[in-house]
Structures are given as C-alpha cells and as structure tokens.
Amino acid sequence: MVEAPLPLAGAASGGVEVVEIVDGDTFDATIDGRLERVRLIGVNTPERGECFAEEATEALERLIVGRDLRLEADTSDRDQHDRLLRYVWAGDVLVNEQLVLDGFAISQDVAPDTALADRFNAAQSRSMADEQGQWAADACGRRAGVSGLRIVEIEYDAPGNDGENLNGEWVVVGSDDELVDLSGWALKDETSSHRFVFPNGFSLAAGSTVRIFSGCGSPTESELYWCQSGSAIWNNSGDTAFLLDPAGNTVATLAY
C-alpha cells in the first residue's frame, strides 16, 4: 500500500460525489453541492480514440466511483479551462499515482504544481520496468518488429526565446541495426496536444539519424520539421519524448 504524505494546502474531504467520468484523468463531481470538473494533477492519460484511452477511463472509474474521496490542491486552484486541479485520495490510495503505477497514465510535471512530481516519476519508472498497462510490448496491438531504434538526444532549450526560435529545439532519432520504414510512426511529449507523425515513405537507414526540429522548414533525409506554432514543445523544466509505432505502442523513450 502506498503511504500517504502529509496533507497539502486546500485539502477537502467528504461531500464529494462523482457524477461522470470524462476520461482517464478528468471527472465531474458535486463538491459540497456544487458541480465541478476535476483534473488530476501530475498525470496525463491517452485522449479519446487513442490507444489505452478506454482502459484508462475505466481504471479511473474503478478507483473513484462509490468511494470516499479526499481532494487536495497543490499551488494552483484551477487550470485555464476552469477545472479544479487536485490530487485525489480514495481511502489510502492516491489515485493519480495508482493510475501511473498501473500503466494507465504517464507522469507529467507541470509547474508550479509539482509537489509530488518525484513520486509520480518514480511510479512511472517502476511501471515501465514492469511493463504494466500501456508499457506492455503489445499494449496497442502487434508491435512493430524492429530493433535498435532509439531517441538519441533532445535539445529542449533553444537559444533566446524558445517560442520565437522553434528550430533551436529538436529531437534526434536513430536506427542502430537496420533500415526502418517510419511511415505512420509518431513522436510525442508528455502532453496530449504535441504529436509529430513521420511522413509516408520516410525511412531511416541503419546507423543513421534524423533530427526533428520543432519549427518549419524543408524536409530532407536527415532533417524533418514539426512545424509547431505559437509556443515551444519541449519544457525546459523537464519532459519526456516517446516514440510510438503505427499501432501506438511505445518503442523508445528519453526523459530529461
């Protein structure tokens, strides 16, 4: 059983009734008679339509429906969507952490709400090592039969203003052993909104690398462009890159 930490500021217990599970990390509840949407702090689950989204939603339902819940805030009370940001306890179980331990959610550090970030990151390392949930080799269907494909390096801190110098940040993906057709493969960060899909027909030769820039440009055999706009992709305070095969299985990761 996971040992509970000391209560954080803004703790609330009792008077919480779950109304609807929105997805794996969000639910609606009446709190002291008021309807609120609650977003779990420090974790992120797959979006609807993605691999393991349905399983994550069902896992959250099992953990919180019909349970005596305690909600705790960190630094922020609400996010930009007016959702309450909370750690959720169901008895002695920290729901945010349990979702990570069982492989339904990934740990996501979003400042300033990082009081339990180290704890969630440790839970993810354990879950990945044990191949729980989405970390199982065939979690999303038949795994692509490749070896030696890895995320080599991340340049997350572009010179100057990151948002104004998007091509100053990049990720390098390499193939050590064989020619790999990366058509339909994807590269993503810890969020649900940043995802780069490799173009059809793009292949990576054995012993070669490709650098994926966050901004726009003309693609070559060794350089591709995410063409993100408005803001940087990779958080300077810490993030994780995930390389997914066409089925959605995680084949390689690199955290910093």
Side-chain angles (χ1 to χ4, degrees):
M1 182 178 296
V2 177
E3 185 176 325
L6 294 174
L8 301 169
S13 61
V16 179
E17 182 178 352
V18 177
V19 174
E20 182 179 3
I21 305 297
V22 178
D23 56 28
D25 52 41
T26 308
F27 63 95
D28 292 335
T30 55
I31 303 173
D32 296 327
R34 179 176 176 176
L35 183 63
E36 295 278 8
R37 179 153 291 186
V38 181
R39 174 62 164 85
L40 275 63
I41 298 173
V43 303
N44 192 35
T45 60
E47 297 299 301
R48 290 179 181 175
E50 292 185 332
C51 168
F52 244 68
E54 184 175 344
E55 290 87 343
T57 302
E58 292 173 352
L60 180 61
E61 181 176 10
R62 289 194 300 270
L63 286 166
I64 67 173
V65 171
R67 305 294 181 89
D68 183 18
L69 302 181
R70 185 173 83 254
L71 308 184
E72 297 178 347
D74 197 317
T75 299
S76 306
D77 183 53
R78 296 177 183 269
D79 65 8
Q80 68 271 29
H81 305 296
D82 200 38
R83 300 178 297 187
L84 290 176
L85 296 172
R86 295 293 186 266
Y87 300 106
V88 178
W89 287 90
D92 292 331
V93 175
L94 177 53
V95 173
N96 314 50
E97 181 179 45
Q98 194 63 50
L99 289 168
V100 177
L101 281 169
D102 292 340
F104 295 109
I106 64 172
S107 175
Q108 183 180 25
D109 299 356
V110 180
D113 303 301
T114 57
L116 301 183
D118 288 346
R119 180 168 173 164
F120 293 167
N121 289 335
Q124 179 166 303
S125 295
R126 177 178 167 185
S127 180
M128 293 174 72
D130 293 341
E131 296 187 356
Q132 293 292 313
Q134 64 184 304
W135 308 119
D138 57 352
C140 301
R142 184 175 180 180
R143 186 183 179 94
V146 301
S147 62
L149 196 62
R150 59 194 177 95
I151 301 172
V152 179
E153 184 181 3
I154 303 175
E155 176 53 72
Y156 56 85
D157 190 5
N161 185 310
D162 289 14
E164 297 175 356
N165 183 18
L166 292 176
N167 282 337
E169 64 171 31
W170 36 260
V171 179
V172 176
V173 174
S175 177
D176 294 336
D177 302 330
E178 59 184 303
L179 174 70
V180 180
D181 180 1
L182 289 178
S183 301
W185 286 65
L187 180 70
K188 68 181 291 290
D189 67 353
E190 292 176 354
T191 72
S192 301
S193 56
H194 296 150
R195 183 179 292 242
F196 171 81
V197 179
F198 287 83
N200 287 333
F202 182 84
S203 295
L204 194 58
S208 66
T209 62
V210 58
R211 192 180 306 266
I212 300 98
F213 294 92
S214 294
C216 297
S218 299
T220 68
E221 291 182 353
S222 60
E223 295 181 349
L224 294 174
Y225 294 86
W226 203 304
C227 216
Q228 165 77 359
S229 62
S231 63
I233 291 171
W234 305 104
N235 294 325
N236 291 352
S237 59
D239 209 333
T240 306
F242 300 87
L243 185 64
L244 311 179
D245 70 11
N249 296 302
T250 301
V251 173
T253 66
L254 182 62
Y256 61 89

